[in-house]
Amino acid sequence: MELLDYTAPATLDEALEALRATPGARPMGGGHRLILDMKRRARRIPLLVDLGRLDELRGVRRGPDGGLEIGSTTTIADLVADPLVRGSHAGGLLADAAAAMPDAQVRNRATVGGAVVAGADVAAALIALEAGLHLRSGGARSRRVSVERLLAGEGPAGDEVIVAVEIPATTAQGAYERLAEPAALSSLCGVAVGVTFRPGGAVGACRVAVCGGPGPARRVPALEDAAAAAPGNGAEPRLDGVFESDDVASGEYRAHLARVLTRRAVTRARDRDPA
Amino acid sequence: MRITLTVNGDRVEQDVPPNVLLVDLLRDTCDLTGAKVGCDTGQCGTCVVRLGDRSVKSCQMLAVQADGAEVTTVEGLSGDGELTPLQEALWEEHGAQCGFCVPGMVMSLTDLLEHDSAPDEQAIRAGIAGNLCRCTGYGAVVRAVQKAVKDKS
Ligand SMILES: Cc1cc2nc3c(=O)[nH]c(=O)nc-3n(C[C@@H](O)[C@@H](O)[C@H](O)COP(=O)(O)OP(=O)(O)OC[C@H]3O[C@@H](n4cnc5c(N)ncnc54)[C@H](O)[C@@H]3O)c2cc1C
Ligand code: FES
Ligand code: FES
């Protein structure tokens, strides 16, 4: 495993400075992706900047506008156990998505920031929840961008650190459904929905994000329109080219799964709806 | 890099290069060979140890990440030659054949029982979702945990 140097700064400013000073340096959350990548020699990292000692980046707080502010190094296990998260509209959806991670040991180490960058199940859930990110980099630079936009683009810059994930307060209800690939247990296709229901249970607004396959988690407007159409009223959503093929599944098969899983997720969200 | 950690109650101070895995530090430097490297890719769970109060896969962690931490391996669960009630139950229910997976199973299940004193079958199975066994299978392991829970209550 190639790793030249490691540092575990005690403050965020020191971490940002270390990332700026060494080209190619990477921030590390739990390391559950990075260490695998280094073992496979998929990357050569001159300096790992471990965010694990930054208490300021860990934990869940209530944000100023009533939403949730989740520190980026909060582990997935702590996220889904947090009383603020469990008591919010995001609790059910995040618990569903976290359960897609392979086991308790991975959830005990993998962080929310790492899960955003990984762009898989938890990232899809965050997109359905309209989550935003607060990023910082050296020289006191700071920006805000949605998870959706970050993953649609290049991801964080090399010297940028995700400080927090921000979930706005809404009344939408969420749920996540997926089909796992039997050998590796990663999601062939996963669908996260955030839905508001009208009195009587009809779908009002619906956000749908999918993951699985080569690309990162993303929104799929055609599935949103189909979910919002009255039952029996909409034609099957057209998903040509939305899903890619790889050596485990064809894009067509993933598109079929996405239609089925969206219906299941909306049903599950409806069962959770308190109204 | 110089790190200091507690392993099974003993203080360990050691110079380690940053690319050394926690499991290798435990096996090669501390001579604790309970945790094993089955897959090296985070899938099999033979390397599970306790870090603080949570079980982790020590093949997916750098030793330097454990600086300052308290680590417990299967050797540290009870006194020399003694078994915990969970280990006793695994013995009685034939929860081990070759035994390669057992230290990891024991560490994952110890964590489960510490956070949930009466897990149902589904919770027990979820608790060993990250542990692969190639010979015993999982039925005997599940029965052993159920026995350990029943004996305690
Ligand atoms: C065997 C195995 C199977 C897994 N299967 C799944 C699965 O099916 N689905 C799933 O979702 N996850 C799975 N995971 C978990 C893992 O791959 C990631 O999803 C996990 O969330 C990574 O989190 P981390 O904190 O360990 O990331 P790290 O490995 O620390 O980092 C991953 C990437 O994110 C960047 N990064 C991390 N934190 C920040 C931050 N705060 N700011 C900026 N950049 C950051 C790093 O630079 C790196 O590029 C699996 C892990 C293992 C070991
Ligand atoms: S050796 Fe760590 S999970 Fe297999
Ligand atoms: S007893 Fe042999 S691998 Fe489990």
Side-chain angles (χ1 to χ4, degrees), chain A residues 218-235:
Chain A
R218 61 212 173 270
R219 259 178 94 177
V220 182
L223 289 170
E224 295 177 350
D225 296 342
N233 229 353

Side-chain angles (χ1 to χ4, degrees), chain A residues 10-85:
Chain A
T11 68
L12 178 59
D13 287 333
E14 281 168 45
L16 296 173
E17 191 43 48
L19 287 167
R20 187 162 70 152
T22 307
R26 291 298 308 164
M28 172 163 73
H32 269 33
R33 180 84 245 159
L34 276 173
I35 291 172
L36 270 180
D37 286 353
M38 288 186 294
K39 285 182 182 179
R40 287 192 193 119
R41 299 195 178 248
R43 21 176 154 185
R44 186 169 171 279
I45 298 177
L47 172 69
L48 265 189
V49 180
D50 188 351
L51 307 175
R53 304 204 181 251
L54 305 177
D55 289 339
E56 56 199 298
L57 259 54
R58 192 174 312 115
V60 181
R61 291 168 295 275
R62 173 85 56 209
D65 52 7
L68 296 170
E69 264 180 38
I70 301 159
S72 65
T73 63
T74 309
T75 63
I76 302 298
D78 286 344
L79 172 74
V80 295
D82 189 276
L84 281 178
V85 172

